[in-house]
Amino acid sequence: MPDFKKTYDFPGGEILLFDKELEWTSFDVVNKIRYNLCQMMRIKKLKVGHAGTLDPLATGLVLLCTGKATKKIEELQLGEKEYIATLKIGATTPSFDLETEEDSQADFSHVTRESFEKVLPQFIGNIEQVPPVFSAVKVKGKRAFDYARNGEDVKLKAKTIVIRSIEIESFNLPEVKLKVVCGKGTYIRSLARDIGEALNCGAYLTGLIRTRIGDYKIEDAFKVDFFLENLNLNETN
C-alpha cells in the first residue's frame, strides 16, 4: 500500500502512481493533480504529464511525472504493461468495448476452454495489430475517433506490437478474463476483437484494469482524491 512518509519535491521531480477512476481520461488525472498542486504550493505553473494513456472505460495504473521528472516520460512509456481484461464472447461492438452498443451477436456454443487456448498462441510475440477506429490515432490531422463518431469510414494501418503472454484468469462463458503482458502501443480492445474473429463468433472488451507499467504496480498507487486529501501531511516544496 502507498504511504505518505516521504516528503515530496514536485518541481524537482516526482513519479506519482495513481489508480485511475472509471470514465476519467488520463488528462483528467493530470489536470486535477496539476491544478491542486499549484494551489497548495501557491505557484502559477508546474509541469505535469502522464506516461501512457489509459482509456476512459479502463481503470488502473497511470504514471504521472512532475517537474524535472517529465523528462522521464518517454522512457517510462517503453515499460512493459500488464492488464486484466474481461471479454464478452459471442458479440461485437463498433468500438470493441462498451462505448458503443452491440451491433452483432453470434452462437458461441462451439467455444470451449480448450478451443480458446488454441487460438491464443497466434497473438503472442511480434504481431501486426490494427488499432480501433474509436481511438486517438491520427488520420490526416484528425483523431480516428472523430471520424468514427461522425459515422465516417476510416481505414487504419496495422502496426507491429509485442505481446509477451496471455493467461486465462477465469473462463465462464460468455465472459472470459485474461491477464495480458504487452509492450507499448498495444490495444487490448483490438486484441479482444481479433480473438473473437479467431473464434468465429466475435468478442469485445467489457472491462480493463492496468495493473503494471515496468516495475510500477497498481498496489502502490493512490486514488486521486485520497492523495489530495492527505497531501497536507507532508511538506511540499
Side-chain angles (χ1 to χ4, degrees), residues 55-70:
D55 286 343
L57 292 181
T59 61
L61 186 59
V62 173
L63 299 182
L64 258 61
C65 297
T66 73
K68 294 178 181 178
T70 54

Side-chain angles (χ1 to χ4, degrees), residues 51-94:
T53 301
L54 193 58
D55 286 343
L57 292 181
T59 61
L61 186 59
V62 173
L63 299 182
L64 258 61
C65 297
T66 73
K68 294 178 181 178
T70 54
K71 294 177 182 178
K72 298 180 180 179
I73 286 177
E74 191 171 340
E75 175 189 342
L76 292 170
Q77 286 176 331
L78 297 175
E80 190 173 73
K81 317 294 193 305
E82 181 183 276
Y83 296 91
I84 300 297
T86 304
L87 281 60
K88 180 177 179 181
I89 309 301
T92 63
T93 73

Side-chain angles (χ1 to χ4, degrees), residues 31-122:
N31 292 336
K32 187 162 187 177
I33 292 297
R34 179 169 50 209
Y35 173 80
N36 281 277
L37 291 183
C38 285
Q39 293 292 306
M40 291 175 187
M41 293 186 290
R42 297 189 176 96
I43 58 176
K44 290 186 177 180
K45 291 183 180 180
L46 176 67
K47 283 186 178 181
V48 181
H50 69 76
T53 301
L54 193 58
D55 286 343
L57 292 181
T59 61
L61 186 59
V62 173
L63 299 182
L64 258 61
C65 297
T66 73
K68 294 178 181 178
T70 54
K71 294 177 182 178
K72 298 180 180 179
I73 286 177
E74 191 171 340
E75 175 189 342
L76 292 170
Q77 286 176 331
L78 297 175
E80 190 173 73
K81 317 294 193 305
E82 181 183 276
Y83 296 91
I84 300 297
T86 304
L87 281 60
K88 180 177 179 181
I89 309 301
T92 63
T93 73
S95 59
F96 314 153
D97 66 3
L98 290 170
E99 182 179 342
T100 53
E101 298 290 326
E102 290 185 4
D103 60 354
S104 74
Q105 294 83 34
D107 176 48
F108 57 88
S109 59
H110 62 286
V111 178
T112 63
R113 185 180 180 116
E114 183 181 13
S115 66
F116 194 98
E117 288 175 339
K118 281 184 177 179
V119 306
L120 293 182
Q122 65 187 276

Side-chain angles (χ1 to χ4, degrees), residues 128-132 137-139 154-160 187:
E128 295 293 303
Q129 185 186 74
V130 178
V137 174
K138 280 198 172 181
V139 181
V154 57
K155 299 292 183 185
L156 300 180
K157 295 180 180 179
K159 296 183 177 181
T160 302
Y187 281 93

